[in-house]
Amino acid sequence: MVPYRIEIPQEALDDLDRRLAATRWPGEMPGAGGWERGVPAAYLRELAEFWRTRYDWRAAEAELNRFPQFTVEIDGANVHFLHVRSPEPDAVPMIITHGWPSSFVEYLDVVGPLTDPRAHGGDPADAFHLVIPTLPGFGLSGPLSEPGWDMPRVAAAWAQLMARLGYDRYLAQGGDFGSWITQMLAGIDREHILGGHVTFLPTPSIGDPAELARLTDAERDRLARLGRIGLGMAGYLYVQSTRPQTLAYSLTDSPVGQLAWIVEKFKDWTDSAKVPEDAVDRDRILTNVMLYWLTSTGASSAHFYYDNAPLLPIAWPPPPPPAPLPVPFGVAVFPHDVGHPIRRFTERGLPNIVQWNEYDRGGHFPALEVPEVFVGDLRSFAAKVRR
């Protein structure tokens, strides 16, 4: 394992500035000023100009470098990860897995409260040693030298990583892809997993007419919302799962293209009223985008969808339901996320749910949107499984 420090050459920042200044902007359909057809031109122009003239990458870089970072080769991939040990000797190890279009930046605001609750007005008994890896092919863990990095392979790599760090018993947490990887990790490394905690858990398809007839009104509404999201917001899913290389040229050549591709999801999937910044700090969004842009991993992160297509909701025939996991699980449901799980169907794959909380605010990136709620839910779950 090699200590790592982010040091982006000035030439890369100068190139970004030139590309942003020279953007060739598309027109818009008359009267289409909202988000229904995608990111509005006026909004993106203003955000791109802010990125070029006011966003400070060097300040962000210095902030990121305050966290202990490392790289390690696992199964042929160079994996980047944060490893932040708690000052509390009895802290519980925990690995946290992000998804797309996210990165370890999603968790910066919760590292302090989770690793050092004593310094943040909390109980030192709630402390964690944190391991936050970057998915292979994403950001500082990319690009990849070969295809085939599906979620089971990532889960196996995470089991290796925790073993190499000397953690015999640990918790796993994840959202988006990280939710599925957490479940797979609990299956393949169950003798070392204390429990799994997820914030994203789509309800599987319900094909039995008898089951559909027994749905409550609230459950019907939840499935209807999930269906509307699938029809109206899943373009990225189909493109990245089927033609990632075609998309790759735009994401790698145009910073505004990469920005639009990511920022749309921070609007669609968060507890935002009009713009993504209603839910997530603008600088945080741009720092997350920078990790994709500066590493040219918009392409390889799109290929992650292609390699995982047989496991995603678009697969046909649909993948079989996972074998029930005996590991205890906690589920945090946020109203503006895209999963909308129904507990009684979720329990078929996760029969040992020891904590299920539904909140009235927050979305797909709760550690960014409602960090105090995210931290509290994790602490509560950990207290249940480590007794």
Side-chain angles (χ1 to χ4, degrees), residues 264-302:
E264 179 188 82
K265 300 308 157 202
F266 278 87
K267 171 61 173 65
D268 286 346
W269 298 349
T270 62
D271 191 355
S272 60
K274 295 182 178 180
V275 293
E277 295 90 330
D278 292 338
V280 179
D281 178 77
R282 174 174 278 197
D283 280 358
R284 281 281 187 260
I285 294 174
L286 290 173
T287 298
N288 184 72
V289 172
M290 285 290 274
L291 288 178
Y292 285 83
W293 173 256
L294 294 171
T295 57
S296 298
T297 53
S300 52
S301 65

Short mmCIF file of all heavy atoms in Angstrom, two decimals, residues 264-302:
data_model
loop_
_atom_site.label_atom_id
_atom_site.label_comp_id
_atom_site.label_asym_id
_atom_site.label_seq_id
_atom_site.Cartn_x
_atom_site.Cartn_y
_atom_site.Cartn_z
N GLU A 264 -26.96 16.82 -13.98
CA GLU A 264 -28.36 16.44 -14.17
C GLU A 264 -28.81 15.49 -13.07
O GLU A 264 -29.94 15.58 -12.55
CB GLU A 264 -28.55 15.78 -15.53
CG GLU A 264 -29.98 15.32 -15.79
CD GLU A 264 -30.10 14.49 -17.06
OE1 GLU A 264 -29.81 13.28 -17.01
OE2 GLU A 264 -30.46 15.07 -18.10
N LYS A 265 -27.95 14.56 -12.67
CA LYS A 265 -28.31 13.60 -11.64
C LYS A 265 -28.39 14.24 -10.26
O LYS A 265 -29.18 13.81 -9.41
CB LYS A 265 -27.33 12.42 -11.63
CG LYS A 265 -27.29 11.68 -12.95
CD LYS A 265 -28.71 11.29 -13.38
CE LYS A 265 -28.82 11.06 -14.86
NZ LYS A 265 -30.20 11.20 -15.36
N PHE A 266 -27.59 15.26 -10.03
CA PHE A 266 -27.68 15.97 -8.76
C PHE A 266 -28.96 16.80 -8.68
O PHE A 266 -29.36 17.20 -7.60
CB PHE A 266 -26.45 16.85 -8.55
CG PHE A 266 -25.27 16.09 -8.00
CD1 PHE A 266 -24.39 15.43 -8.83
CD2 PHE A 266 -25.07 16.01 -6.63
CE1 PHE A 266 -23.31 14.71 -8.32
CE2 PHE A 266 -24.01 15.30 -6.11
CZ PHE A 266 -23.13 14.65 -6.96
N LYS A 267 -29.58 17.05 -9.81
CA LYS A 267 -30.90 17.68 -9.81
C LYS A 267 -32.01 16.64 -9.69
O LYS A 267 -32.92 16.76 -8.86
CB LYS A 267 -31.11 18.49 -11.09
CG LYS A 267 -32.54 19.00 -11.30
CD LYS A 267 -32.98 19.93 -10.18
CE LYS A 267 -34.34 20.58 -10.47
NZ LYS A 267 -35.44 19.60 -10.52
N ASP A 268 -31.94 15.58 -10.49
CA ASP A 268 -33.02 14.60 -10.54
C ASP A 268 -33.13 13.78 -9.26
O ASP A 268 -34.24 13.36 -8.89
CB ASP A 268 -32.79 13.63 -11.70
CG ASP A 268 -33.07 14.25 -13.05
OD1 ASP A 268 -33.68 15.33 -13.10
OD2 ASP A 268 -32.67 13.65 -14.08
N TRP A 269 -32.01 13.52 -8.61
CA TRP A 269 -31.99 12.53 -7.52
C TRP A 269 -31.87 13.13 -6.13
O TRP A 269 -31.69 12.38 -5.16
CB TRP A 269 -30.83 11.56 -7.73
CG TRP A 269 -30.90 10.76 -8.98
CD1 TRP A 269 -31.96 10.63 -9.84
CD2 TRP A 269 -29.84 9.95 -9.54
NE1 TRP A 269 -31.64 9.80 -10.88
CE2 TRP A 269 -30.36 9.36 -10.73
CE3 TRP A 269 -28.54 9.66 -9.14
CZ2 TRP A 269 -29.59 8.50 -11.52
CZ3 TRP A 269 -27.77 8.81 -9.93
CH2 TRP A 269 -28.30 8.24 -11.10
N THR A 270 -31.96 14.43 -6.00
CA THR A 270 -31.77 15.05 -4.69
C THR A 270 -33.03 15.78 -4.25
O THR A 270 -33.97 15.97 -5.01
CB THR A 270 -30.60 16.05 -4.71
OG1 THR A 270 -30.90 17.09 -5.65
CG2 THR A 270 -29.29 15.37 -5.07
N ASP A 271 -33.00 16.22 -3.01
CA ASP A 271 -34.10 16.98 -2.42
C ASP A 271 -33.91 18.45 -2.79
O ASP A 271 -33.69 19.32 -1.94
CB ASP A 271 -34.06 16.78 -0.90
CG ASP A 271 -35.32 17.32 -0.22
OD1 ASP A 271 -36.15 17.93 -0.91
OD2 ASP A 271 -35.44 17.13 1.00
N SER A 272 -33.99 18.72 -4.10
CA SER A 272 -33.76 20.07 -4.61
C SER A 272 -35.06 20.63 -5.18
O SER A 272 -35.84 19.90 -5.79
CB SER A 272 -32.67 20.06 -5.70
OG SER A 272 -33.05 19.23 -6.77
N ALA A 273 -35.25 21.92 -5.02
CA ALA A 273 -36.47 22.56 -5.51
C ALA A 273 -36.33 22.98 -6.97
O ALA A 273 -37.12 22.59 -7.83
CB ALA A 273 -36.81 23.76 -4.64
N LYS A 274 -35.30 23.79 -7.27
CA LYS A 274 -35.15 24.32 -8.62
C LYS A 274 -33.82 23.95 -9.26
O LYS A 274 -33.75 23.71 -10.46
CB LYS A 274 -35.31 25.85 -8.59
CG LYS A 274 -36.70 26.31 -8.19
CD LYS A 274 -36.80 27.83 -8.23
CE LYS A 274 -38.20 28.30 -7.87
NZ LYS A 274 -38.31 29.79 -7.90
N VAL A 275 -32.75 23.95 -8.46
CA VAL A 275 -31.42 23.65 -9.00
C VAL A 275 -30.70 22.72 -8.03
O VAL A 275 -31.07 22.63 -6.85
CB VAL A 275 -30.58 24.95 -9.19
CG1 VAL A 275 -31.18 25.81 -10.30
CG2 VAL A 275 -30.47 25.73 -7.90
N PRO A 276 -29.67 21.99 -8.50
CA PRO A 276 -28.99 21.04 -7.62
C PRO A 276 -28.43 21.66 -6.35
O PRO A 276 -28.39 21.02 -5.30
CB PRO A 276 -27.86 20.49 -8.50
CG PRO A 276 -28.36 20.67 -9.90
CD PRO A 276 -29.18 21.93 -9.87
N GLU A 277 -28.03 22.93 -6.44
CA GLU A 277 -27.44 23.59 -5.28
C GLU A 277 -28.44 23.82 -4.15
O GLU A 277 -28.05 24.18 -3.04
CB GLU A 277 -26.82 24.94 -5.70
CG GLU A 277 -25.64 24.81 -6.64
CD GLU A 277 -26.04 24.83 -8.12
OE1 GLU A 277 -27.17 24.39 -8.45
OE2 GLU A 277 -25.23 25.31 -8.93
N ASP A 278 -29.72 23.61 -4.41
CA ASP A 278 -30.70 23.64 -3.32
C ASP A 278 -30.44 22.51 -2.33
O ASP A 278 -30.84 22.59 -1.17
CB ASP A 278 -32.12 23.48 -3.87
CG ASP A 278 -32.57 24.69 -4.68
OD1 ASP A 278 -32.00 25.78 -4.48
OD2 ASP A 278 -33.48 24.52 -5.51
N ALA A 279 -29.79 21.43 -2.81
CA ALA A 279 -29.56 20.26 -1.97
C ALA A 279 -28.10 20.03 -1.65
O ALA A 279 -27.77 19.54 -0.56
CB ALA A 279 -30.12 19.01 -2.66
N VAL A 280 -27.20 20.36 -2.58
CA VAL A 280 -25.77 20.04 -2.42
C VAL A 280 -24.96 21.29 -2.76
O VAL A 280 -25.22 21.98 -3.75
CB VAL A 280 -25.36 18.87 -3.35
CG1 VAL A 280 -23.87 18.57 -3.19
CG2 VAL A 280 -26.19 17.62 -3.05
N ASP A 281 -23.96 21.55 -1.94
CA ASP A 281 -23.09 22.70 -2.13
C ASP A 281 -22.45 22.69 -3.52
O ASP A 281 -22.00 21.66 -4.00
CB ASP A 281 -21.99 22.69 -1.06
CG ASP A 281 -21.02 23.83 -1.22
OD1 ASP A 281 -21.36 24.97 -0.85
OD2 ASP A 281 -19.90 23.58 -1.74
N ARG A 282 -22.45 23.84 -4.18
CA ARG A 282 -21.95 23.93 -5.55
C ARG A 282 -20.49 23.51 -5.66
O ARG A 282 -20.10 22.79 -6.60
CB ARG A 282 -22.13 25.36 -6.06
CG ARG A 282 -21.51 25.62 -7.42
CD ARG A 282 -21.83 27.00 -7.96
NE ARG A 282 -23.16 27.00 -8.58
CZ ARG A 282 -23.59 27.95 -9.42
NH1 ARG A 282 -22.80 28.98 -9.71
NH2 ARG A 282 -24.78 27.90 -9.95
N ASP A 283 -19.65 23.94 -4.73
CA ASP A 283 -18.24 23.55 -4.79
C ASP A 283 -18.06 22.05 -4.65
O ASP A 283 -17.18 21.46 -5.27
CB ASP A 283 -17.45 24.29 -3.71
CG ASP A 283 -17.11 25.72 -4.11
OD1 ASP A 283 -17.46 26.12 -5.23
OD2 ASP A 283 -16.49 26.42 -3.30
N ARG A 284 -18.90 21.42 -3.82
CA ARG A 284 -18.82 19.97 -3.66
C ARG A 284 -19.17 19.28 -4.99
O ARG A 284 -18.53 18.30 -5.38
CB ARG A 284 -19.77 19.50 -2.56
CG ARG A 284 -19.25 19.69 -1.16
CD ARG A 284 -18.25 18.60 -0.80
NE ARG A 284 -17.87 18.67 0.60
CZ ARG A 284 -16.74 19.21 1.04
NH1 ARG A 284 -15.88 19.74 0.18
NH2 ARG A 284 -16.44 19.22 2.33
N ILE A 285 -20.20 19.77 -5.66
CA ILE A 285 -20.58 19.18 -6.95
C ILE A 285 -19.42 19.30 -7.94
O ILE A 285 -19.07 18.33 -8.63
CB ILE A 285 -21.84 19.87 -7.51
CG1 ILE A 285 -23.05 19.59 -6.62
CG2 ILE A 285 -22.11 19.40 -8.95
CD1 ILE A 285 -24.30 20.36 -7.02
N LEU A 286 -18.81 20.48 -8.00
CA LEU A 286 -17.73 20.69 -8.96
C LEU A 286 -16.48 19.89 -8.61
O LEU A 286 -15.78 19.40 -9.51
CB LEU A 286 -17.41 22.18 -9.06
CG LEU A 286 -18.50 23.02 -9.75
CD1 LEU A 286 -18.18 24.51 -9.65
CD2 LEU A 286 -18.68 22.61 -11.21
N THR A 287 -16.19 19.73 -7.33
CA THR A 287 -15.05 18.90 -6.95
C THR A 287 -15.28 17.46 -7.38
O THR A 287 -14.37 16.76 -7.87
CB THR A 287 -14.81 18.97 -5.44
OG1 THR A 287 -14.49 20.32 -5.07
CG2 THR A 287 -13.65 18.06 -5.01
N ASN A 288 -16.50 16.99 -7.23
CA ASN A 288 -16.84 15.65 -7.68
C ASN A 288 -16.67 15.53 -9.20
O ASN A 288 -16.09 14.56 -9.70
CB ASN A 288 -18.28 15.33 -7.29
CG ASN A 288 -18.69 13.92 -7.63
OD1 ASN A 288 -18.25 12.96 -7.01
ND2 ASN A 288 -19.54 13.78 -8.64
N VAL A 289 -17.14 16.53 -9.94
CA VAL A 289 -16.98 16.53 -11.40
C VAL A 289 -15.50 16.55 -11.77
O VAL A 289 -15.07 15.86 -12.71
CB VAL A 289 -17.72 17.73 -12.02
CG1 VAL A 289 -17.38 17.87 -13.51
CG2 VAL A 289 -19.22 17.60 -11.83
N MET A 290 -14.71 17.32 -11.04
CA MET A 290 -13.27 17.42 -11.34
C MET A 290 -12.58 16.07 -11.25
O MET A 290 -11.67 15.77 -12.04
CB MET A 290 -12.61 18.41 -10.39
CG MET A 290 -12.91 19.86 -10.69
SD MET A 290 -12.11 20.47 -12.22
CE MET A 290 -10.50 20.95 -11.61
N LEU A 291 -12.98 15.23 -10.31
CA LEU A 291 -12.33 13.93 -10.19
C LEU A 291 -12.59 13.06 -11.42
O LEU A 291 -11.76 12.21 -11.76
CB LEU A 291 -12.79 13.22 -8.92
CG LEU A 291 -12.26 13.82 -7.61
CD1 LEU A 291 -12.82 13.06 -6.41
CD2 LEU A 291 -10.73 13.79 -7.58
N TYR A 292 -13.72 13.25 -12.07
CA TYR A 292 -13.98 12.55 -13.33
C TYR A 292 -13.22 13.20 -14.48
O TYR A 292 -12.61 12.52 -15.32
CB TYR A 292 -15.47 12.53 -13.64
CG TYR A 292 -16.28 11.57 -12.81
CD1 TYR A 292 -16.73 11.91 -11.53
CD2 TYR A 292 -16.62 10.30 -13.29
CE1 TYR A 292 -17.48 11.03 -10.76
CE2 TYR A 292 -17.38 9.42 -12.53
CZ TYR A 292 -17.80 9.79 -11.27
OH TYR A 292 -18.54 8.91 -10.51
N TRP A 293 -13.26 14.54 -14.54
CA TRP A 293 -12.65 15.24 -15.66
C TRP A 293 -11.13 15.10 -15.66
O TRP A 293 -10.52 14.74 -16.68
CB TRP A 293 -13.03 16.72 -15.66
CG TRP A 293 -12.27 17.47 -16.71
CD1 TRP A 293 -11.20 18.30 -16.54
CD2 TRP A 293 -12.49 17.38 -18.12
NE1 TRP A 293 -10.74 18.74 -17.74
CE2 TRP A 293 -11.52 18.20 -18.74
CE3 TRP A 293 -13.41 16.70 -18.91
CZ2 TRP A 293 -11.44 18.34 -20.12
CZ3 TRP A 293 -13.33 16.84 -20.29
CH2 TRP A 293 -12.36 17.65 -20.87
N LEU A 294 -10.49 15.36 -14.55
CA LEU A 294 -9.03 15.37 -14.49
C LEU A 294 -8.42 14.00 -14.70
O LEU A 294 -7.25 13.89 -15.09
CB LEU A 294 -8.56 15.95 -13.15
CG LEU A 294 -8.89 17.43 -12.92
CD1 LEU A 294 -8.57 17.82 -11.48
CD2 LEU A 294 -8.13 18.32 -13.90
N THR A 295 -9.17 12.95 -14.44
CA THR A 295 -8.66 11.59 -14.61
C THR A 295 -9.16 10.93 -15.89
O THR A 295 -8.83 9.77 -16.16
CB THR A 295 -9.09 10.72 -13.42
OG1 THR A 295 -10.52 10.74 -13.30
CG2 THR A 295 -8.48 11.23 -12.12
N SER A 296 -9.97 11.64 -16.67
CA SER A 296 -10.57 11.11 -17.91
C SER A 296 -11.29 9.80 -17.66
O SER A 296 -11.21 8.85 -18.45
CB SER A 296 -9.48 10.91 -18.99
OG SER A 296 -8.87 12.13 -19.32
N THR A 297 -12.03 9.73 -16.55
CA THR A 297 -12.72 8.49 -16.22
C THR A 297 -14.24 8.57 -16.42
O THR A 297 -14.96 7.67 -15.97
CB THR A 297 -12.41 8.06 -14.77
OG1 THR A 297 -12.68 9.15 -13.88
CG2 THR A 297 -10.98 7.60 -14.62
N GLY A 298 -14.71 9.62 -17.07
CA GLY A 298 -16.11 9.59 -17.48
C GLY A 298 -16.37 8.38 -18.35
O GLY A 298 -17.42 7.73 -18.25
N ALA A 299 -15.38 8.02 -19.19
CA ALA A 299 -15.53 6.89 -20.09
C ALA A 299 -15.52 5.57 -19.33
O ALA A 299 -16.42 4.73 -19.48
CB ALA A 299 -14.40 6.91 -21.12
N SER A 300 -14.49 5.33 -18.52
CA SER A 300 -14.38 4.03 -17.84
C SER A 300 -15.48 3.85 -16.81
O SER A 300 -15.92 2.72 -16.55
CB SER A 300 -13.00 3.86 -17.21
OG SER A 300 -12.66 4.94 -16.39
N SER A 301 -15.97 4.93 -16.21
CA SER A 301 -17.10 4.78 -15.28
C SER A 301 -18.37 4.42 -16.03
O SER A 301 -19.23 3.69 -15.53
CB SER A 301 -17.31 6.07 -14.47
OG SER A 301 -17.69 7.16 -15.29
N ALA A 302 -18.50 4.89 -17.28
CA ALA A 302 -19.64 4.48 -18.11
C ALA A 302 -19.54 3.00 -18.46
O ALA A 302 -20.54 2.28 -18.49
CB ALA A 302 -19.71 5.34 -19.37
#
